[in-house]
mmCIF file with all atom_site columns, all heavy atoms in Angstrom:
data_model
loop_
_atom_site.group_PDB
_atom_site.id
_atom_site.type_symbol
_atom_site.label_atom_id
_atom_site.label_alt_id
_atom_site.label_comp_id
_atom_site.label_asym_id
_atom_site.label_entity_id
_atom_site.label_seq_id
_atom_site.pdbx_PDB_ins_code
_atom_site.Cartn_x
_atom_site.Cartn_y
_atom_site.Cartn_z
_atom_site.occupancy
_atom_site.B_iso_or_equiv
_atom_site.pdbx_formal_charge
_atom_site.auth_seq_id
_atom_site.auth_comp_id
_atom_site.auth_asym_id
_atom_site.auth_atom_id
_atom_site.pdbx_PDB_model_num
ATOM 1   N N   . GLU A 1 41 ? 113.930 104.690 92.920  1.00 37.00 ? 602 GLU A N   1
ATOM 2   C CA  . GLU A 1 41 ? 114.079 103.635 91.919  1.00 37.00 ? 602 GLU A CA  1
ATOM 3   C C   . GLU A 1 41 ? 115.342 103.710 91.129  1.00 37.00 ? 602 GLU A C   1
ATOM 4   O O   . GLU A 1 41 ? 115.797 102.704 90.677  1.00 37.00 ? 602 GLU A O   1
ATOM 5   C CB  . GLU A 1 41 ? 112.879 103.638 90.904  1.00 37.00 ? 602 GLU A CB  1
ATOM 6   C CG  . GLU A 1 41 ? 111.588 103.252 91.435  1.00 37.00 ? 602 GLU A CG  1
ATOM 7   C CD  . GLU A 1 41 ? 111.623 101.797 91.917  1.00 37.00 ? 602 GLU A CD  1
ATOM 8   O OE1 . GLU A 1 41 ? 112.049 100.922 91.248  1.00 37.00 ? 602 GLU A OE1 1
ATOM 9   O OE2 . GLU A 1 41 ? 111.240 101.532 92.932  1.00 37.00 ? 602 GLU A OE2 1
ATOM 10  N N   . THR A 1 42 ? 115.981 104.944 90.843  1.00 35.00 ? 603 THR A N   1
ATOM 11  C CA  . THR A 1 42 ? 116.942 105.078 89.987  1.00 35.00 ? 603 THR A CA  1
ATOM 12  C C   . THR A 1 42 ? 118.237 105.703 90.811  1.00 35.00 ? 603 THR A C   1
ATOM 13  O O   . THR A 1 42 ? 119.267 106.106 90.072  1.00 35.00 ? 603 THR A O   1
ATOM 14  C CB  . THR A 1 42 ? 116.672 105.832 88.760  1.00 35.00 ? 603 THR A CB  1
ATOM 15  O OG1 . THR A 1 42 ? 116.137 107.180 89.209  1.00 35.00 ? 603 THR A OG1 1
ATOM 16  C CG2 . THR A 1 42 ? 115.752 105.224 88.031  1.00 35.00 ? 603 THR A CG2 1
ATOM 17  N N   . ALA A 1 43 ? 118.131 105.800 92.091  1.00 39.00 ? 604 ALA A N   1
ATOM 18  C CA  . ALA A 1 43 ? 119.249 106.572 92.737  1.00 39.00 ? 604 ALA A CA  1
ATOM 19  C C   . ALA A 1 43 ? 120.474 105.715 92.667  1.00 39.00 ? 604 ALA A C   1
ATOM 20  O O   . ALA A 1 43 ? 120.487 104.534 92.893  1.00 39.00 ? 604 ALA A O   1
ATOM 21  C CB  . ALA A 1 43 ? 118.810 106.618 94.253  1.00 39.00 ? 604 ALA A CB  1
ATOM 22  N N   . ALA A 1 44 ? 121.628 106.466 92.361  1.00 40.00 ? 605 ALA A N   1
ATOM 23  C CA  . ALA A 1 44 ? 122.918 105.731 92.432  1.00 40.00 ? 605 ALA A CA  1
ATOM 24  C C   . ALA A 1 44 ? 123.480 105.435 93.749  1.00 40.00 ? 605 ALA A C   1
ATOM 25  O O   . ALA A 1 44 ? 123.478 106.403 94.514  1.00 40.00 ? 605 ALA A O   1
ATOM 26  C CB  . ALA A 1 44 ? 123.937 106.608 91.501  1.00 40.00 ? 605 ALA A CB  1
ATOM 27  N N   . SER A 1 45 ? 123.974 104.267 93.951  1.00 42.00 ? 606 SER A N   1
ATOM 28  C CA  . SER A 1 45 ? 124.461 103.917 95.342  1.00 42.00 ? 606 SER A CA  1
ATOM 29  C C   . SER A 1 45 ? 125.933 104.167 95.303  1.00 42.00 ? 606 SER A C   1
ATOM 30  O O   . SER A 1 45 ? 126.717 103.993 94.236  1.00 42.00 ? 606 SER A O   1
ATOM 31  C CB  . SER A 1 45 ? 124.277 102.457 95.558  1.00 42.00 ? 606 SER A CB  1
ATOM 32  O OG  . SER A 1 45 ? 122.918 102.160 95.589  1.00 42.00 ? 606 SER A OG  1
ATOM 33  N N   . PRO A 1 46 ? 126.565 104.626 96.439  1.00 44.00 ? 607 PRO A N   1
ATOM 34  C CA  . PRO A 1 46 ? 128.043 104.808 96.603  1.00 44.00 ? 607 PRO A CA  1
ATOM 35  C C   . PRO A 1 46 ? 128.779 103.512 96.255  1.00 44.00 ? 607 PRO A C   1
ATOM 36  O O   . PRO A 1 46 ? 128.072 102.388 96.525  1.00 44.00 ? 607 PRO A O   1
ATOM 37  C CB  . PRO A 1 46 ? 128.261 105.294 97.869  1.00 44.00 ? 607 PRO A CB  1
ATOM 38  C CG  . PRO A 1 46 ? 126.996 104.872 98.731  1.00 44.00 ? 607 PRO A CG  1
ATOM 39  C CD  . PRO A 1 46 ? 125.883 104.860 97.664  1.00 44.00 ? 607 PRO A CD  1
ATOM 40  N N   . PRO A 1 47 ? 129.977 103.465 95.930  1.00 43.00 ? 608 PRO A N   1
ATOM 41  C CA  . PRO A 1 47 ? 130.698 102.150 95.709  1.00 43.00 ? 608 PRO A CA  1
ATOM 42  C C   . PRO A 1 47 ? 130.895 101.486 97.041  1.00 43.00 ? 608 PRO A C   1
ATOM 43  O O   . PRO A 1 47 ? 130.932 102.009 98.108  1.00 43.00 ? 608 PRO A O   1
ATOM 44  C CB  . PRO A 1 47 ? 131.950 102.609 95.018  1.00 43.00 ? 608 PRO A CB  1
ATOM 45  C CG  . PRO A 1 47 ? 132.133 104.029 95.480  1.00 43.00 ? 608 PRO A CG  1
ATOM 46  C CD  . PRO A 1 47 ? 130.845 104.595 95.564  1.00 43.00 ? 608 PRO A CD  1
ATOM 47  N N   . ALA A 1 48 ? 130.967 100.175 96.931  1.00 46.00 ? 609 ALA A N   1
ATOM 48  C CA  . ALA A 1 48 ? 131.316 99.436  98.109  1.00 46.00 ? 609 ALA A CA  1
ATOM 49  C C   . ALA A 1 48 ? 132.580 99.586  98.597  1.00 46.00 ? 609 ALA A C   1
ATOM 50  O O   . ALA A 1 48 ? 133.569 99.759  97.904  1.00 46.00 ? 609 ALA A O   1
ATOM 51  C CB  . ALA A 1 48 ? 130.935 97.849  97.872  1.00 46.00 ? 609 ALA A CB  1
ATOM 52  N N   . SER A 1 49 ? 132.764 99.535  99.958  1.00 58.00 ? 610 SER A N   1
ATOM 53  C CA  . SER A 1 49 ? 134.163 99.673  100.473 1.00 58.00 ? 610 SER A CA  1
ATOM 54  C C   . SER A 1 49 ? 134.904 98.429  100.241 1.00 58.00 ? 610 SER A C   1
ATOM 55  O O   . SER A 1 49 ? 136.253 98.545  100.637 1.00 58.00 ? 610 SER A O   1
ATOM 56  C CB  . SER A 1 49 ? 134.007 100.098 101.847 1.00 58.00 ? 610 SER A CB  1
ATOM 57  O OG  . SER A 1 49 ? 133.270 99.143  102.664 1.00 58.00 ? 610 SER A OG  1
ATOM 58  N N   . VAL A 1 50 ? 134.333 97.364  100.027 1.00 73.00 ? 611 VAL A N   1
ATOM 59  C CA  . VAL A 1 50 ? 135.087 96.142  99.696  1.00 73.00 ? 611 VAL A CA  1
ATOM 60  C C   . VAL A 1 50 ? 134.566 95.521  98.397  1.00 73.00 ? 611 VAL A C   1
ATOM 61  O O   . VAL A 1 50 ? 133.516 95.869  97.993  1.00 73.00 ? 611 VAL A O   1
ATOM 62  C CB  . VAL A 1 50 ? 134.968 95.082  100.958 1.00 73.00 ? 611 VAL A CB  1
ATOM 63  C CG1 . VAL A 1 50 ? 135.526 95.620  102.139 1.00 73.00 ? 611 VAL A CG1 1
ATOM 64  C CG2 . VAL A 1 50 ? 133.420 94.787  101.044 1.00 73.00 ? 611 VAL A CG2 1
ATOM 65  N N   . SER A 1 51 ? 135.310 94.686  97.832  1.00 87.00 ? 612 SER A N   1
ATOM 66  C CA  . SER A 1 51 ? 134.820 93.966  96.635  1.00 87.00 ? 612 SER A CA  1
ATOM 67  C C   . SER A 1 51 ? 135.150 92.429  96.793  1.00 87.00 ? 612 SER A C   1
ATOM 68  O O   . SER A 1 51 ? 136.298 92.131  97.263  1.00 87.00 ? 612 SER A O   1
ATOM 69  C CB  . SER A 1 51 ? 135.579 94.519  95.474  1.00 87.00 ? 612 SER A CB  1
ATOM 70  O OG  . SER A 1 51 ? 135.101 93.762  94.216  1.00 87.00 ? 612 SER A OG  1
ATOM 71  N N   . PHE A 1 52 ? 134.196 91.680  96.386  1.00 96.00 ? 613 PHE A N   1
ATOM 72  C CA  . PHE A 1 52 ? 134.191 90.214  96.690  1.00 96.00 ? 613 PHE A CA  1
ATOM 73  C C   . PHE A 1 52 ? 133.221 89.633  95.703  1.00 96.00 ? 613 PHE A C   1
ATOM 74  O O   . PHE A 1 52 ? 132.364 90.262  95.231  1.00 96.00 ? 613 PHE A O   1
ATOM 75  C CB  . PHE A 1 52 ? 134.017 89.785  98.218  1.00 96.00 ? 613 PHE A CB  1
ATOM 76  C CG  . PHE A 1 52 ? 132.545 90.333  98.607  1.00 96.00 ? 613 PHE A CG  1
ATOM 77  C CD1 . PHE A 1 52 ? 131.483 89.414  98.404  1.00 96.00 ? 613 PHE A CD1 1
ATOM 78  C CD2 . PHE A 1 52 ? 132.470 91.502  99.128  1.00 96.00 ? 613 PHE A CD2 1
ATOM 79  C CE1 . PHE A 1 52 ? 130.208 89.993  98.897  1.00 96.00 ? 613 PHE A CE1 1
ATOM 80  C CE2 . PHE A 1 52 ? 131.184 91.905  99.677  1.00 96.00 ? 613 PHE A CE2 1
ATOM 81  C CZ  . PHE A 1 52 ? 130.023 91.114  99.434  1.00 96.00 ? 613 PHE A CZ  1
ATOM 82  N N   . PRO A 1 53 ? 133.404 88.208  95.564  1.00 97.00 ? 614 PRO A N   1
ATOM 83  C CA  . PRO A 1 53 ? 132.349 87.645  94.600  1.00 97.00 ? 614 PRO A CA  1
ATOM 84  C C   . PRO A 1 53 ? 131.097 87.316  95.204  1.00 97.00 ? 614 PRO A C   1
ATOM 85  O O   . PRO A 1 53 ? 130.965 87.107  96.424  1.00 97.00 ? 614 PRO A O   1
ATOM 86  C CB  . PRO A 1 53 ? 133.093 86.226  94.339  1.00 97.00 ? 614 PRO A CB  1
ATOM 87  C CG  . PRO A 1 53 ? 134.520 86.411  94.853  1.00 97.00 ? 614 PRO A CG  1
ATOM 88  C CD  . PRO A 1 53 ? 134.386 87.397  95.834  1.00 97.00 ? 614 PRO A CD  1
ATOM 89  N N   . ILE A 1 54 ? 130.006 87.698  94.449  1.00 98.00 ? 615 ILE A N   1
ATOM 90  C CA  . ILE A 1 54 ? 128.682 87.420  94.963  1.00 98.00 ? 615 ILE A CA  1
ATOM 91  C C   . ILE A 1 54 ? 127.800 86.551  94.003  1.00 98.00 ? 615 ILE A C   1
ATOM 92  O O   . ILE A 1 54 ? 127.910 86.920  92.844  1.00 98.00 ? 615 ILE A O   1
ATOM 93  C CB  . ILE A 1 54 ? 127.990 88.816  95.339  1.00 98.00 ? 615 ILE A CB  1
ATOM 94  C CG1 . ILE A 1 54 ? 126.612 88.584  95.907  1.00 98.00 ? 615 ILE A CG1 1
ATOM 95  C CG2 . ILE A 1 54 ? 127.927 89.765  94.118  1.00 98.00 ? 615 ILE A CG2 1
ATOM 96  C CD1 . ILE A 1 54 ? 126.075 89.854  96.458  1.00 98.00 ? 615 ILE A CD1 1
ATOM 97  N N   . LEU A 1 55 ? 127.359 85.540  94.570  1.00 98.00 ? 616 LEU A N   1
ATOM 98  C CA  . LEU A 1 55 ? 126.402 84.709  93.681  1.00 98.00 ? 616 LEU A CA  1
ATOM 99  C C   . LEU A 1 55 ? 124.910 84.939  94.018  1.00 98.00 ? 616 LEU A C   1
ATOM 100 O O   . LEU A 1 55 ? 124.612 84.764  95.333  1.00 98.00 ? 616 LEU A O   1
ATOM 101 C CB  . LEU A 1 55 ? 126.795 83.223  93.941  1.00 98.00 ? 616 LEU A CB  1
ATOM 102 C CG  . LEU A 1 55 ? 126.198 82.182  93.085  1.00 98.00 ? 616 LEU A CG  1
ATOM 103 C CD1 . LEU A 1 55 ? 127.036 80.926  93.066  1.00 98.00 ? 616 LEU A CD1 1
ATOM 104 C CD2 . LEU A 1 55 ? 124.732 81.828  93.199  1.00 98.00 ? 616 LEU A CD2 1
ATOM 105 N N   . VAL A 1 56 ? 124.126 85.432  93.133  1.00 97.00 ? 617 VAL A N   1
ATOM 106 C CA  . VAL A 1 56 ? 122.689 85.661  93.368  1.00 97.00 ? 617 VAL A CA  1
ATOM 107 C C   . VAL A 1 56 ? 121.889 84.527  92.858  1.00 97.00 ? 617 VAL A C   1
ATOM 108 O O   . VAL A 1 56 ? 121.739 84.361  91.595  1.00 97.00 ? 617 VAL A O   1
ATOM 109 C CB  . VAL A 1 56 ? 122.252 87.051  92.800  1.00 97.00 ? 617 VAL A CB  1
ATOM 110 C CG1 . VAL A 1 56 ? 120.936 87.301  93.105  1.00 97.00 ? 617 VAL A CG1 1
ATOM 111 C CG2 . VAL A 1 56 ? 123.179 88.190  93.268  1.00 97.00 ? 617 VAL A CG2 1
ATOM 112 N N   . ASN A 1 57 ? 121.265 83.859  93.697  1.00 95.00 ? 618 ASN A N   1
ATOM 113 C CA  . ASN A 1 57 ? 120.400 82.702  93.172  1.00 95.00 ? 618 ASN A CA  1
ATOM 114 C C   . ASN A 1 57 ? 118.989 83.164  93.233  1.00 95.00 ? 618 ASN A C   1
ATOM 115 O O   . ASN A 1 57 ? 118.476 83.876  94.106  1.00 95.00 ? 618 ASN A O   1
ATOM 116 C CB  . ASN A 1 57 ? 120.543 81.596  94.382  1.00 95.00 ? 618 ASN A CB  1
ATOM 117 C CG  . ASN A 1 57 ? 121.667 80.704  94.080  1.00 95.00 ? 618 ASN A CG  1
ATOM 118 O OD1 . ASN A 1 57 ? 122.226 80.575  92.933  1.00 95.00 ? 618 ASN A OD1 1
ATOM 119 N ND2 . ASN A 1 57 ? 122.250 80.146  95.201  1.00 95.00 ? 618 ASN A ND2 1
ATOM 120 N N   . GLY A 1 58 ? 118.312 82.808  91.955  1.00 92.00 ? 619 GLY A N   1
ATOM 121 C CA  . GLY A 1 58 ? 116.998 83.360  91.726  1.00 92.00 ? 619 GLY A CA  1
ATOM 122 C C   . GLY A 1 58 ? 116.945 84.371  90.665  1.00 92.00 ? 619 GLY A C   1
ATOM 123 O O   . GLY A 1 58 ? 115.975 85.147  90.672  1.00 92.00 ? 619 GLY A O   1
ATOM 124 N N   . CYS A 1 59 ? 117.916 84.355  89.872  1.00 93.00 ? 620 CYS A N   1
ATOM 125 C CA  . CYS A 1 59 ? 117.996 85.406  88.782  1.00 93.00 ? 620 CYS A CA  1
ATOM 126 C C   . CYS A 1 59 ? 116.964 85.194  87.615  1.00 93.00 ? 620 CYS A C   1
ATOM 127 O O   . CYS A 1 59 ? 116.942 85.965  86.635  1.00 93.00 ? 620 CYS A O   1
ATOM 128 C CB  . CYS A 1 59 ? 119.377 85.464  88.287  1.00 93.00 ? 620 CYS A CB  1
ATOM 129 S SG  . CYS A 1 59 ? 120.616 86.563  89.136  1.00 93.00 ? 620 CYS A SG  1
#
Side-chain angles (χ1 to χ4, degrees):
E602 289 297 314
T603 56
S606 298
S610 58
V611 294
S612 182
F613 57 91
I615 184 169
L616 191 161
V617 181
N618 279 331
C620 280

